[in-house]
Amino acid sequence: MSLRLRLTIIYSAMTGGILLLLGVVTTALVSIALIGQTDEILAQTVNRITASMHVDQRGGPTVFLPQLNPAENVYVQIWNTQGNLVSASPGLSGLQEPLDPAGLQAGKAIYRDVYISQSHLRTLSMPVELGGHPFVVVQAATGLALLDSVRQSLVDILIITALVATFMAALASWFIAGQALAPLKTVTETALQITHADDLSRRIPYRGKDNNEVGQLIFAFNETLERLEKLFVSQQRFLADVSHELRTPLTAIKGNADLMRRMKGVDEESLTSIEDEADRLTRLVGDLLLLTQAESGKLPLDLKTVELDALLLDVSKEMHVLARDRVQIKVTEIDQVQVNGDRDRLKQVLLNLVSNAIKYTPQGGQVFISLGKVGGQARLIVRDTGPGIPAEDLPHIFERFYRAEKSRTRSKTGGFGLGLSIAYWIITHHGGTIEVDSQEGKGTTFCIWLPLLRTAED
Ligand code: ADP
């Protein structure tokens, strides 16, 4: 069953139910009020009659019955204890039966509804005692035709009103639910179109107000689509980049192998080249594996106390070998700094930053390294006097496979543009930040901020 139909049924059933309840309560209250009024008239009549009865005790009790002339539409009978009709009001001259046979036997005042020749009557039977003994029973009755017709009209009006109101409620809720749910139909259709056409660039149009529930749903759905599209595009780019990076060394290996086959001998230079390319491939696969593990949350960090200063000296020593006499490495400031981190991963970051600085700085340049505590954080700076990074490349430098235009011309030491992405992941997962500042022709500065190790005294 559709949501629209279900809402319509619920609303109209509720309207009908409420009106039905209202009808039952109203009819009951009106009936009670009218019956009360009728009973009051009967009681007044009977009381008037019994009050005017008197007994003459002289020569045995003799009962003097009053003249029975009750109000219009009220009939009275007086029955003695032997079951004989003693007196009756003029309107009942023909009736020899009691108005209410059961009331005669009741022994107490009792109101009852009776039917006499299809007329609906309300009766009051009142026993009257004389000297502590039952003497006569006075019965009064009045027709309930007016009350019945009032009650019937009320029921008719309420049924018609309830039916009309239920029909109107059904119509209105069908229309309103239709209007409210119409955008959902568009959402479903667009979602299906996106699935069938495999087109994540589509968005769901919505012209209503954004702050209602459907508007919010469409907004959220469009945001999901946007994110999916971005992920999809980045995945495609990632695949293209990986294939491109794999193809280059493989082509070189194949070229060198072909060359050796044609020369019919082992060529030392070609073998070295094959070895270099194989090393490059191994590095690439290693970096890719690390990055995918990191991004899928499967790269655990082995957190321990790390002496950053000792780590930095290690790295600078290793890097002197790479720099040789080409570039000068200077540790300008070193403070004793402890952080909570994964030593190997932090070393990987430092190696990447310093080796980049050496790699991109031309002969005679300098690389400055410093480590200190600033504002309750560890600050590590790697600065070089190299060519700098163009402003247009700077915002993308931490993206996977991103290499500034000048670094794209591949050399044997050329990287894949993965090092900084890995460094970014490692530092942010240590609760730190990594920043870059660079000006073309003036050099590049990388700055890492890490939270200091909290000691017991802290
Ligand atoms: P790669 O392996 O290519 O060095 P990275 O992710 O480490 O990859 O660096 C990305 C790019 O950032 C490099 O290709 C280079 O263009 C630029 N870059 C990084 N460090 C420096 C630096 N110190 N000086 C100039 N350019 C740099």
Side-chain angles (χ1 to χ4, degrees):
M1 195 194 290
S2 74
L3 185 57
R4 187 183 189 185
L5 185 60
R6 210 180 313 166
L7 284 174
T8 306
I9 291 174
I10 290 172
Y11 284 133
S12 28
M14 267 170 60
T15 313
I18 289 171
L19 285 174
L20 197 72
L21 191 72
L22 196 74
V24 169
V25 172
T26 313
T27 312
L29 287 177
V30 168
S31 301
I32 289 170
L34 290 178
I35 288 281
Q37 240 174 21
T38 310
D39 289 353
E40 184 65 30
I41 291 169
L42 292 178
Q44 278 172 7
T45 306
V46 171
N47 285 341
R48 213 172 43 243
I49 291 167
T50 51
S52 58
M53 279 183 188
H54 63 273
V55 181
D56 191 345
Q57 294 289 358
R58 286 169 295 166
T62 312
V63 181
F64 288 90
L65 292 174
Q67 197 69 28
L68 295 180
N69 50 358
E72 208 186 330
N73 288 332
V74 181
Y75 313 101
V76 180
Q77 286 180 331
I78 298 176
W79 295 82
N80 67 16
T81 43
Q82 286 79 43
N84 300 320
L85 182 62
V86 180
S87 178
S89 58
L92 283 179
S93 46
L95 187 73
Q96 291 305 310
E97 301 301 316
L99 286 163
D100 176 16
L104 281 187
Q105 319 299 329
K108 56 175 182 174
I110 185 167
Y111 290 100
R112 282 164 48 83
D113 280 17
V114 297
Y115 284 89
I116 295 175
S117 1
Q118 291 181 347
S119 300
H120 187 195
L121 299 172
R122 179 78 172 167
T123 64
L124 167 62
S125 305
M126 173 86 81
V128 182
E129 287 186 354
L130 182 70
H133 298 289
F135 180 55
V136 288
V137 176
V138 181
Q139 285 198 329
T142 185
L144 287 177
L146 184 70
L147 187 141
D148 284 346
S149 86
V150 167
R151 196 157 42 188
Q152 191 55 49
S153 310
L154 197 64
V155 169
D156 290 349
I157 290 169
L158 286 170
I159 287 178
I160 292 169
T161 315
L163 284 178
V164 171
T166 309
F167 178 71
M168 300 278 278
L171 216 65
S173 49
W174 178 257
F175 177 73
I176 293 169
Q179 284 248 322
L181 297 175
L184 288 184
K185 218 171 151 199
T186 324
V187 175
T188 316
E189 277 164 11
T190 317
L192 285 175
Q193 279 170 10
I194 289 167
T195 317
H196 292 150
D198 241 347
D199 180 5
L200 284 173
S201 66
R202 296 179 88 129
R203 298 287 175 271
I204 298 166
Y206 183 59
R207 279 169 283 280
K209 284 186 193 129
D210 273 355
N211 56 359
N212 71 21
E213 289 81 346
V214 179
Q216 281 167 3
L217 172 77
I218 293 177
F219 185 70
F221 195 79
N222 280 343
E223 276 211 329
T224 310
L225 279 179
E226 188 136 354
R227 187 152 165 64
L228 275 179
E229 189 188 7
K230 271 191 192 152
L231 277 174
F232 186 65
V233 168
S234 106
Q235 195 194 33
Q236 276 182 326
R237 214 186 65 204
F238 181 69
L239 272 178
D241 287 342
V242 170
S243 340
H244 177 76
E245 292 298 340
L246 285 174
R247 204 169 39 207
T248 323
L250 286 175
T251 315
I253 290 173
K254 193 164 169 8
N256 281 302
D258 277 352
L259 187 71
M260 284 197 288
R261 180 173 295 119
R262 265 187 275 125
M263 287 168 61
K264 294 195 170 42
V266 176
D267 166 29
E268 200 53 42
E269 202 180 322
S270 302
L271 271 183
T272 315
S273 174
I274 288 175
E275 228 166 37
D276 285 349
E277 295 301 342
D279 284 347
R280 239 178 99 73
L281 275 180
T282 313
R283 272 205 323 272
L284 171 62
V285 172
D287 279 358
L288 277 177
L289 194 67
L290 193 88
L291 203 62
T292 33
Q293 275 180 334
E295 286 184 357
S296 61
K298 287 182 189 141
L299 186 72
L301 290 176
D302 182 17
L303 298 180
K304 284 187 186 128
T305 301
V306 179
E307 317 263 340
L308 260 193
D309 42 317
L311 184 69
L312 189 65
L313 290 176
D314 268 8
V315 170
S316 101
K317 218 181 284 170
E318 277 183 41
M319 286 293 110
H320 272 106
V321 183
L322 182 74
R324 292 187 304 253
D325 297 333
R326 207 174 59 79
V327 176
Q328 237 188 329
I329 301 178
K330 284 187 184 163
V331 177
T332 54
E333 177 199 343
I334 188 149
D335 208 349
Q336 274 196 333
V337 174
Q338 285 187 327
V339 294
N340 186 31
D342 185 322
R343 192 177 190 282
D344 291 344
R345 297 288 163 229
L346 289 175
K347 184 173 180 182
Q348 184 177 359
V349 174
L350 292 187
L351 283 174
N352 182 257
L353 293 189
V354 182
S355 69
N356 272 353
I358 297 170
K359 197 161 65 181
Y360 296 112
T361 304
Q363 172 104 30
Q366 287 172 307
V367 174
F368 301 100
I369 307 175
S370 74
L371 172 67
K373 292 180 194 167
V374 179
Q377 280 191 296
R379 187 186 68 177
L380 196 145
I381 296 175
V382 179
R383 183 167 71 82
D384 64 56
T385 56
I389 302 168
E392 66 267 24
D393 291 320
L394 220 48
H396 307 287
I397 215 77
F398 296 106
E399 287 172 17
R400 294 180 304 197
F401 288 110
Y402 196 87
R403 284 172 297 177
E405 202 53 51
K406 280 183 193 158
S407 336
R408 282 179 209 238
T409 37
R410 198 167 152 269
S411 70
K412 273 183 191 160
T413 49
F416 310 103
L418 291 176
L420 285 179
S421 314
I422 295 172
Y424 184 86
W425 187 90
I426 293 173
I427 294 302
T428 46
H429 281 76
H430 274 79
T433 48
I434 177 165
E435 298 159 2
V436 59
D437 181 29
S438 186
Q439 267 186 311
E440 263 193 289
K442 289 198 177 157
T444 305
T445 307
F446 279 95
C447 180
I448 289 176
W449 295 90
L450 282 172
L452 287 173
L453 183 75
R454 291 190 149 266
T455 59
E457 292 146 41
D458 293 337

